């Protein structure tokens, strides 16, 4: 009985957390992804996540606290997923940038991100496709 209870407790704690904001790559190429958002105080961007073909990655863990998030992705070749909402990105493997203004003056590149409306859901999965 104790063993069964211990196993049940272990399974409960080992269960995966809610995805929050997950992005799945349904293309044939790895995609580098950046995320833009408002944290309640400041606009900012972060990246790069590399999501392999056929895989999903969690960009925001836990329950979402905003309605709109912004994405930019590239497969390094001809494929990009972009939009009209400007955010700063860095060439480095990982970055976190506070603010959306004067990207070039701060040593960053400006990219157009596309808007994702979560409809105030706390758990969202979106996909990149060809």
């Amino acid at each position: 009985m104790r063993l069964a209870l211990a196993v049940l407790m272990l399974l409960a704690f080992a269960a995966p957390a809610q995805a929050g904001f997950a992005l799945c790559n349904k293309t044939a190429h790895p995609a580098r992804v950046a995320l833009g958002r408002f944290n309640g105080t400041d606009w900012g961007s972060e990246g790069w996540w590399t999501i392999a073909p056929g895989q999903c990655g969690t960009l925001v863990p836990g329950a979402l606290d905003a309605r709109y998030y912004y994405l930019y992705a590239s497969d390094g070749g001809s494929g990009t997923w972009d939009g009209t909402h400007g955010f700063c990105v860095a060439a480095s493997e990982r970055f976190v940038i506070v603010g959306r203004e004067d990207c070039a003056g701060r040593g960053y590149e400006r990219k157009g991100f596309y808007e994702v409306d979560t409809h105030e859901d706390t758990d969202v999965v979106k996909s990149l496709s060809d």
Side-chain angles (χ1 to χ4, degrees):
M1 178 77 166
R2 285 185 184 158
L3 179 61
L5 182 58
V7 169
L8 285 174
M9 287 179 63
L10 180 62
L11 289 174
F13 287 110
Q18 291 292 344
F21 191 115
L23 185 67
C24 297
N25 181 358
K26 294 185 176 184
T27 74
H29 305 284
R32 284 178 35 123
V33 179
L35 176 77
R37 63 179 163 164
F38 187 71
N39 68 11
T41 306
D42 297 303
W43 285 99
S45 54
E46 57 187 296
W48 297 101
W49 289 269
T50 300
I51 303 175
Q55 299 296 308
C56 298
T58 299
L59 307 183
V60 179
L64 300 178
D65 60 2
R67 179 169 178 173
Y68 298 102
Y69 291 82
Y70 301 86
L71 289 175
Y72 173 85
S74 173
D75 68 8
S78 61
T80 59
W81 296 263
D82 57 2
T84 60
H85 301 274
F87 286 89
C88 304
V89 299
S92 59
E93 284 296 311
R94 263 317 260 154
F95 68 86
V96 175
I97 301 170
V98 176
R100 299 169 63 176
E101 68 289 328
D102 193 25
C103 297
R106 297 187 297 148
Y108 303 122
E109 186 176 354
R110 186 173 186 86
K111 295 286 187 184
F113 286 50
Y114 70 91
E115 182 178 87
V116 176
D117 184 348
T118 68
H119 302 284
E120 298 181 2
D121 291 338
T122 58
D123 190 34
V124 172
V125 178
K126 295 294 181 182
S127 297
L128 300 175
S129 59
D130 293 326

